[in-house]
Amino acid sequence: MGSLCNFIRQFTDVTFLTARSLYFNNFTSSSLCLDTAMQPIFWIVDNVVRRLGPVFVFLVVCLTTSVVLTFYIYIMPFVFSCGLHWVIFHLVFGHWLLMNIIFHYYKAVITSPGVPSKGNLSKIGITSVCKKCISPKPSRTHHCSVCNKCILKMDHHCPWLNNCVGHFNHRYFLQFCVFMWIGTIYVSITSWPLFYEEFFLTPVYPLHTQVTMFEKSYHHMIFYEFFLCSGVVVALGALTLWHIRIITRGETSIESHINRSETKRLKKVGLVYKNPFNFGARENWRLFLGLGEGRVFWRHILLPSSHFPFSDGLQWPTTNHNVVDSVVQDETT
Ligand SMILES: [Zn+2]
Ligand SMILES: [Zn+2]
């Protein structure tokens, strides 16, 4: 009886050990398990974002057009009653913003963020390999699961652009955000006196009063203009400030997460992590905006300009040319 129990115990132990050895992986962790379990949801989200991309772009164009038309039809008559100097200010400032918003949005949508093709990869050494593309991946490059390709200095996939934000269109994206943000602040401030008068000072029309179509639509459109723009001011303001912060620190949205976890990891072993692409705020901005060598702020940033950043997106100088730092960055991607 004792030997039978022994046999059953041994048999059970060996079976469990064999089963566990089949799926044992030294790199398995709770976050990897969670990541694997969430894969179907990621797949659905990626597909929805990919298919709805053109709808989001259409929405941006329609909403922007409606705000501009409302401004021309309902707010400009008020502007014209404020005196010649205000008229000149609104015409110049408003159209300068509109020109920059249209230009930078168009360029952010149509410009490729940069893809490491086989031709240009021959210029660099292999730093890591993309598991999805099964091809070499330059430093700062990441795979976009919506576009299903590797993107140079990828920041994020933007559904509102139906495009990835990466090395070659990040400046267009940021300038669009900044000009759109200033534009919505401008429209909110300009429409505020009309909104205030319409909703707090004007008495409600009695039922028998004859109200023209223009007066009826004026009421709704002033409400629409003010609330849409002030809502965008808050949402877009948060996004724009986030990008200003990470560019000042010489990183992308993806790298900010990597750098944070690397800082924590190295702190545990008594080391200080330094972002190898942080050249100081001023130089980071100069590199990002592509200024210098004949390019100046007032002409190439305040006015529409199609210039690209200086770097080819494949090779990146680092602050200390410390290869270890760069490798740490790549291994975590
Ligand atoms: Zn890839
Ligand atoms: Zn993408």
Side-chain angles (χ1 to χ4, degrees):
M1 191 64 188
S3 61
L4 181 66
C5 282
N6 246 354
F7 172 76
I8 292 171
R9 198 180 304 122
Q10 275 184 2
F11 180 78
T12 318
D13 286 349
V14 169
T15 309
F16 271 111
L17 187 67
T18 312
R20 286 190 64 186
S21 68
L22 288 174
Y23 57 84
F24 177 78
N25 186 334
N26 204 22
F27 295 101
T28 304
S29 63
S30 57
S31 63
L32 181 75
C33 290
L34 189 69
D35 215 43
T36 310
M38 296 287 280
Q39 280 303 317
I41 296 171
F42 292 151
W43 185 85
I44 292 168
V45 171
D46 289 345
N47 270 282
V48 169
V49 170
R50 193 181 303 135
R51 282 173 202 279
L52 289 185
V55 178
F56 280 112
V57 173
F58 182 69
L59 210 61
V60 172
V61 173
C62 286
L63 289 175
T64 309
T65 308
S66 70
V67 167
V68 172
L69 287 178
T70 304
F71 194 91
Y72 275 128
I73 297 168
Y74 297 96
I75 299 175
M76 278 307 260
F78 161 73
V79 168
F80 277 111
S81 66
C82 295
L84 185 64
H85 58 289
W86 278 113
V87 172
I88 293 170
F89 165 77
H90 281 284
L91 285 177
V92 173
F93 185 67
H95 286 104
W96 170 70
L97 282 176
L98 183 60
M99 172 182 71
N100 273 305
I101 289 169
I102 294 170
F103 174 81
H104 289 105
Y105 185 70
Y106 175 73
K107 293 295 275 186
V109 170
I110 63 152
T111 305
S112 166
V115 179
S117 67
K118 284 195 173 66
N120 58 28
L121 276 174
S122 60
K123 289 195 285 181
I124 59 158
I126 298 171
T127 52
S128 60
V129 173
C130 174
K131 284 178 270 181
K132 307 264 175 60
C133 303
I134 322 287
S135 71
K137 199 165 71 163
S139 194
R140 308 189 88 176
T141 295
H142 298 277
H143 186 88
C144 174
S145 49
V146 180
C147 300
N148 207 18
K149 55 190 173 190
C150 277
I151 304 294
L152 299 177
K153 197 178 167 234
M154 180 181 169
D155 190 89
H156 69 286
H157 184 92
C158 180
W160 299 105
L161 299 178
N162 191 27
N163 197 4
C164 247
V165 174
H167 180 56
F168 290 106
N169 66 345
H170 199 172
R171 179 179 71 82
Y172 295 131
F173 166 78
L174 180 83
Q175 285 193 248
F176 163 69
C177 289
V178 170
F179 284 116
M180 186 61 123
W181 189 36
I182 298 171
T184 49
I185 292 171
Y186 163 72
V187 175
S188 299
I189 292 172
T190 313
S191 61
W192 168 248
L194 302 177
F195 176 80
Y196 185 78
E197 189 190 346
E198 191 63 21
F199 285 87
F200 295 104
L201 301 181
T202 309
V204 178
Y205 297 112
L207 280 175
H208 60 269
T209 310
Q210 286 292 314
V211 182
T212 63
M213 275 299 286
F214 184 83
E215 281 169 327
K216 265 188 192 171
S217 61
Y218 177 81
H219 184 82
H220 292 127
M221 293 317 286
I222 290 294
F223 183 85
Y224 167 79
E225 189 87 338
F226 181 76
F227 271 98
L228 179 63
C229 287
S230 47
V232 173
V233 168
V234 177
L236 192 60
L239 179 77
T240 308
L241 289 176
W242 161 256
H243 277 271
I244 289 173
R245 180 174 179 263
I246 58 168
I247 293 161
T248 307
R249 293 154 61 114
E251 55 191 17
T252 61
S253 298
I254 295 173
E255 286 169 358
S256 78
H257 299 298
I258 296 169
N259 292 349
R260 202 180 307 135
S261 64
E262 280 305 291
T263 305
K264 276 187 197 162
R265 189 178 68 83
L266 291 183
K267 198 178 174 186
K268 281 182 191 160
V269 290
L271 294 171
V272 177
Y273 176 75
K274 278 172 67 182
N275 173 13
F277 309 113
N278 183 1
F279 293 88
R282 194 184 166 85
E283 181 64 5
N284 291 340
W285 274 103
R286 191 191 70 77
L287 291 171
F288 177 82
L289 297 174
L291 294 176
E293 297 182 20
R295 296 175 190 163
V296 286
F297 189 82
W298 74 266
R299 166 62 196 93
H300 293 88
I301 302 300
L302 295 183
L303 295 175
S305 169
S306 298
H307 68 276
F308 280 129
F310 293 120
S311 168
D312 58 4
L314 299 168
Q315 291 169 301
W316 294 95
T318 54
T319 45
N320 46 12
H321 302 284
N322 187 339
V323 179
V324 177
D325 274 357
S326 307
V327 170
V328 165
Q329 267 257 351
D330 291 328
E331 282 177 351
T332 53
T333 60

